[in-house]
Amino acid sequence: MGKERFEIKKVTKEKPVLLCEVEYMNEEEDSQEANSEEAKELAKEVADLMRATIRLNVKMKNISASEDQLEPEGLADLPPKPLSFFVASFFSDVKVLQQNLLEENNTLKRLQVEKDILSDTVKYFSAAAALKDLGSSSSTEDKETGK
């Protein structure tokens, strides 16, 4: 993820490379709101949900992962605003969602949307993992009873 966000205002040249006039985007809130206790608590919840999502995804796909992969470096110590962009970077396979997150110019709102998405994802993966475990135990019981 980049360090500065911008909006393309006008394409001035297309070949041999794309050149544009841009306007840099600012966050709506002031730095106090972005670093408030509310923002820090929300960021902690989002980081915890991100960890849970990663662990459940690894479990569901039955893949091995190092501790570094299960605990990405940015989750531990990023302030709310950079964390919100870091989490958005994980949605690269859903471009429309990622773009919507990156267009949000308020850290608290962006974190809240990420929390909602990750909460739903954890619920889904938890249910899927339970069904997978249930299916595995049924198969094992069927083999043991000769069914």
Side-chain angles (χ1 to χ4, degrees):
M1 288 286 139
K3 297 288 182 188
E4 291 187 77
R5 299 181 320 143
F6 58 88
E7 181 179 350
I8 295 174
K9 291 297 184 183
K10 179 180 173 187
V11 175
T12 58
K13 190 175 176 184
E14 291 191 31
K15 292 185 180 184
V17 295
L18 185 64
L19 294 178
C20 301
E21 291 179 11
V22 300
E23 183 178 306
Y24 288 98
M25 298 171 64
N26 293 316
E27 295 289 296
E28 276 186 1
E29 83 274 341
D30 60 28
S31 61
Q32 285 182 332
E33 182 184 70
N35 292 306
S36 67
E37 284 308 311
E38 178 185 5
K40 290 176 183 176
E41 184 57 37
L42 190 54
K44 181 183 178 319
E45 289 178 62
V46 168
D48 290 343
L49 286 164
M50 189 72 198
R51 285 183 194 92
T53 300
I54 292 168
R55 290 184 186 280
L56 284 165
N57 191 29
V58 165
K59 180 179 179 178
M60 285 299 301
K61 292 184 178 181
N62 217 10
I63 55 177
S64 61
S66 69
E67 197 54 41
D68 288 344
Q69 291 169 316
L70 294 172
E71 179 67 36
E73 188 177 317
L75 288 177
D77 53 4
L78 284 176
K81 182 178 175 180
L83 176 77
S84 71
F85 289 120
F86 179 75
V87 170
S89 74
F90 280 86
F91 294 104
S92 61
D93 56 336
V94 187
K95 294 293 185 195
V96 172
L97 172 60
Q98 184 180 48
Q99 186 63 36
N100 287 337
L101 287 169
L102 295 174
E103 286 177 1
E104 176 56 61
N105 62 355
N106 182 285
T107 300
L108 286 173
K109 288 179 183 175
R110 190 171 35 258
L111 284 168
Q112 186 60 55
V113 171
E114 291 169 342
K115 178 185 171 185
D116 294 344
I117 292 166
L118 292 171
S119 292
D120 289 346
T121 303
V122 167
K123 288 174 190 171
Y124 171 80
F125 278 149
S126 295
L131 288 173
K132 183 179 177 184
D133 290 345
L134 182 62
S136 295
S137 65
S138 287
S139 299
T140 304
E141 289 175 14
D142 288 347
K143 287 177 186 174
E144 290 174 1
T145 59
K147 290 184 180 179

